[in-house]
Amino acid sequence: MSEIYSGTKFETKFLGERFEYIKRTDELIYWGKYLSEHRMAPKYPGGSSGNISFRLSEMGKQFIITATSTDLENLKSDDFVLVENVFLAEKKIVVFGKKEPSSESMLHFSIYAQRPDVMAIFHGHWPDLISLATQFGFVQTKNEQEYGSLALVNEVLEVIDNNNFIIMKNHGFLSMAKSIAQAGVIIQSIKLSTITQLENPDA
Ligand SMILES: [Zn+2]
């Protein structure tokens, strides 16, 4: 990952601070801690390098996502934003919440739009795994792009097909599934299947 984090790259329109807490958010809190504890979303000063979301209803546009610059290890209810809509051409995001939504909100939105079967998305950086992407034959985007950019969105959409796990070149991973739990199972199983390499990279 070559780029230093410098905030979101879109305009946010806040419709209000409050929205009803959705019980499924508890599952994101659990998996945020998991990603952090397993070095899949390394911390930087002021946040974690990852973002996680779930879609409210099948086929719907609305989703809950972590705010930008949150500590995934200790997510609190204020650390989530309800995204109502995204206008990609204008780079404008309409939300309820108290904080700016994740810098990759345009990416999450676009994946949900393209893949009606996907109800939850985890994105993290997991440096050990990124370096093994080619060796393990993971589906990977062709070119490295700036985080939070439409160019990155397009790279992902180009290779996403029906894949539920992809690597964004020199950047991070995306785990996508029909439920939050299933998105977690995917990363657990990848960790298991690559564990020797991950824990003994020089072996
Ligand atoms: Zn990232």
Side-chain angles (χ1 to χ4, degrees), residues 2-190:
S2 52
E3 202 186 354
I4 305 288
Y5 184 71
S6 59
T8 58
K9 298 175 177 175
F10 48 74
E11 180 197 337
T12 307
K13 179 177 164 57
F14 288 91
L15 296 177
E17 286 195 347
R18 294 174 155 273
F19 59 92
E20 191 183 347
Y21 187 82
I22 295 152
K23 186 71 183 149
R24 261 183 292 164
T25 309
D26 291 350
E27 293 179 56
L28 283 191
I29 293 172
Y30 170 86
W31 286 105
K33 191 179 263 309
Y34 180 94
L35 291 173
S36 190
E37 287 177 350
H38 291 83
R39 299 196 303 154
M40 297 170 185
K43 292 190 190 198
Y44 60 86
S48 301
S49 48
N51 34 76
I52 52 182
S53 75
F54 67 88
R55 190 196 321 239
L56 264 61
S57 61
E58 279 179 41
M59 311 295 287
K61 283 182 182 170
Q62 293 175 305
F63 59 95
I64 299 284
I65 191 164
T66 43
T68 189
S69 303
T70 50
D71 174 6
L72 286 185
E73 191 163 1
N74 298 292
L75 289 168
K76 297 172 185 65
S77 57
D78 276 3
D79 293 328
F80 296 93
V81 180
L82 168 59
V83 175
E84 269 288 313
N85 207 348
V86 175
F87 299 94
L88 291 174
E90 294 95 333
K91 294 187 190 167
K92 189 170 165 186
I93 302 195
V94 183
V95 305
F96 286 93
K98 293 178 180 164
K99 298 182 177 178
E100 286 285 336
S102 161
S103 57
E104 298 294 3
S105 294
M106 294 195 295
L107 177 61
H108 288 244
F109 173 85
S110 301
I111 292 170
Y112 288 132
Q114 174 116 342
R115 288 279 300 274
D117 60 309
V118 169
M119 295 295 286
I121 301 168
F122 294 0
H123 165 54
H125 286 181
W126 206 352
D128 302 343
L129 186 74
I130 306 310
S131 63
L132 297 173
T134 307
Q135 186 180 337
F136 282 91
F138 295 124
V139 174
Q140 189 168 190
T141 58
K142 292 194 184 83
N143 306 295
E144 184 176 350
Q145 300 290 353
E146 288 183 14
Y147 82 84
S149 66
L150 287 177
L152 179 63
V153 171
N154 291 332
E155 288 282 341
V156 169
L157 295 185
E158 203 172 298
V159 298
I160 191 171
D161 198 16
N162 287 318
N163 298 302
N164 287 334
F165 186 85
I166 68 171
I167 300 289
M168 298 193 280
K169 191 172 186 177
N170 298 336
H171 176 165
F173 69 88
L174 286 166
S175 176
M176 303 159 278
K178 63 183 193 307
S179 69
I180 298 167
Q182 196 60 37
V185 166
I186 290 170
I187 56 164
Q188 281 180 323
S189 66
I190 283 172

Side-chain angles (χ1 to χ4, degrees), residues 132 136 190-203:
L132 297 173
F136 282 91
I190 283 172
K191 187 173 171 65
L192 277 176
S193 64
T194 57
I195 203 150
T196 312
Q197 281 295 322
L198 287 172
E199 297 194 345
N200 303 289
D202 301 321

